[in-house]
Structure formats: structure tokens, C-alpha cells
């Protein structure tokens, strides 16, 4: 005739995996490129048993295009979920400039001076290339008679920017003769 009071126990059931999302901390530029290491951050949630673990921030430092990063979340019931961030493009290297003409030398009055450069970027690609002669814009491939320039030092400045906003500039200094009129006798 022994009796025990009724006892109860609660049992929590979680059949749903957690939620997780990921995103880059600093968004890419308008062309879809980053020019510094990319940090991917993950956020997880679980309304039933709670989040037990989530992937910490991931840093991508290798240059290239089309990278992805995947993070996971685990809830207290042991369920897993993952999220992948795609289309990560990273170019930390400035483009290159090669000014082939003019050369850093003296040009006599009888010479024609070519203004030629080659700009390259092997990863994101060249976005803009600009050339100036003594502060005035000049087209790549232009030619100028040295007699049309005042005598003295002249500066050719070339700037280039790639699609990841990396920039580089290069300068060449050259000189020309002063134009002198010699009297003629008859």
C-alpha cells in the first residue's frame, strides 16, 4: 500500500537546425573588387535550444577572383547549418607602368618626341590610364616636335588605376634646347 506522488519531467525537443548567414565586413567597390584582406563575419541564431558554436570571422588574404568562404553553426541539440559567401575578388597589387618614350635624356631641337607607355594589371585589369606633359593631358601614342616645347626640363607623369582601386604613378623628366634665332647675313 505504498504510494508515490506523481512526478513529472520536462523534455525539450529541438528538431530544427540553427540559422546562419555570412557577409563580408567591408563591401567590395562598384566593380566588385577588394584591395585589402577580406573579413567574412557569420551570425547564427536558434530559437529552441540556442546556439552552441558559430564559425569565427574568417580573413581571406590570397589574391584572386571568385573565392568563397563557408561558416557553420551548431545548436545545443547538435544540429548543424552552414552558409557560404561567394564571389569574393581580391587584388592588393598595384598595376604596372612602363614608359618607353620619352626617355630621361636631352632632346635636341631637331627631334620628334613620342609619348608612349604600357600599363598592365594581371588580376582585376586596368581601369584608367592618364598621361600628362608638364601638367597638360596628352594622349598615349602622341608625338610632339621638340621645337614646340620651351627649352628646359619637362615632366611626363603617367597614372594608372586598376578595377580594385589600386593606383600607381611614374614620372620621366627630359630636357629640350632653348630655341635660338640666329641672324642671317646676305
Amino acid at each position: 500500500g505504498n504510494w508515490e506522488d506523481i512526478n513529472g519531467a520536462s523534455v525539450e525537443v529541438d528538431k530544427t537546425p540553427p540559422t546562419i548567414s555570412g557577409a563580408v565586413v567591408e563591401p567590395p567597390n562598384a566593380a566588385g573588387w577588394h584591395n585589402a584582406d577580406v573579413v567574412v563575419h557569420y551570425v547564427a541564431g536558434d530559437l529552441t535550444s540556442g546556439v552552441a558554436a558559430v564559425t569565427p570571422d574568417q580573413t581571406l588574404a590570397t589574391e584572386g577572383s571568385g573565392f568563397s568562404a563557408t561558416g557553420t553553426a551548431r545548436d545545443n541539440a547538435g544540429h548543424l547549418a552552414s552558409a557560404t559567401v561567394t564571389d569574393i575578388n581580391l587584388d592588393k597589387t598595384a598595376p604596372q607602368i612602363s614608359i618607353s618614350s620619352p626617355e630621361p635624356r636631352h632632346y635636341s631641337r631637331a627631334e620628334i618626341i613620342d609619348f608612349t607607355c604600357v600599363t598592365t594589371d594581371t588580376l582585376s585589369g586596368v581601369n584608367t590610364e592618364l598621361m600628362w606633359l608638364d601638367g597638360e593631358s596628352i594622349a598615349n601614342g602622341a608625338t610632339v616636335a621638340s621645337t614646340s616645347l620651351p627649352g628646359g626640363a619637362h615632366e611626363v607623369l603617367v597614372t594608372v588605376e586598376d578595377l580594385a582601386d589600386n593606383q600607381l604613378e611614374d614620372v620621366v623628366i627630359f630636357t629640350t634646347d632653348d630655341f635660338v634665332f640666329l641672324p642671317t647675313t646676305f
Side-chain angles (χ1 to χ4, degrees), residues 147-164:
T147 55
S148 67
L149 299 173
H154 301 279
E155 177 184 86
V156 175
L157 170 66
V158 176
T159 62
V160 62
E161 181 176 280
D162 66 16
L163 289 168

Side-chain angles (χ1 to χ4, degrees), residues 3-182:
W3 288 88
E4 183 175 338
D5 292 335
I6 297 174
N7 292 312
S10 64
V11 177
E12 295 180 3
V13 177
D14 182 355
K15 295 182 179 182
T16 306
T19 60
I20 183 171
S21 62
V24 294
V25 173
E26 292 292 327
N29 68 10
W33 285 89
H34 298 269
N35 62 9
D37 291 354
V38 178
V39 176
V40 179
H41 179 73
Y42 299 95
V43 176
D46 189 274
L47 297 176
T48 309
S49 64
V51 175
V54 63
T55 299
D57 288 356
Q58 294 176 324
T59 301
L60 285 74
T62 302
E63 293 181 293
S65 62
F67 288 121
S68 62
T70 300
T72 58
R74 181 175 44 84
D75 66 15
N76 287 307
H79 300 294
L80 294 175
S82 64
T84 301
V85 178
T86 60
D87 297 323
I88 301 171
N89 303 315
L90 178 58
D91 179 358
K92 300 185 286 187
T93 304
Q96 298 298 305
I97 300 171
S98 174
I99 301 173
S100 56
S101 182
E103 297 173 14
R105 66 174 179 86
H106 181 79
Y107 286 84
S108 70
R109 282 293 180 191
E111 293 186 75
I112 301 295
I113 304 170
D114 294 317
F115 294 86
T116 308
C117 72
V118 174
T119 58
T120 57
D121 188 89
T122 58
L123 195 51
S124 64
V126 172
N127 186 29
T128 59
E129 167 193 288
L130 301 170
M131 182 183 285
W132 290 275
L133 169 60
D134 296 333
E136 299 290 327
S137 178
I138 188 167
N140 189 0
T143 58
V144 174
S146 63
T147 55
S148 67
L149 299 173
H154 301 279
E155 177 184 86
V156 175
L157 170 66
V158 176
T159 62
V160 62
E161 181 176 280
D162 66 16
L163 289 168
D165 300 329
N166 298 303
Q167 300 174 352
L168 184 70
E169 64 180 39
D170 196 7
V171 174
V172 170
I173 306 291
F174 68 95
T175 58
T176 58
D177 288 331
D178 283 327
F179 188 67
V180 178
F181 289 99
L182 298 174

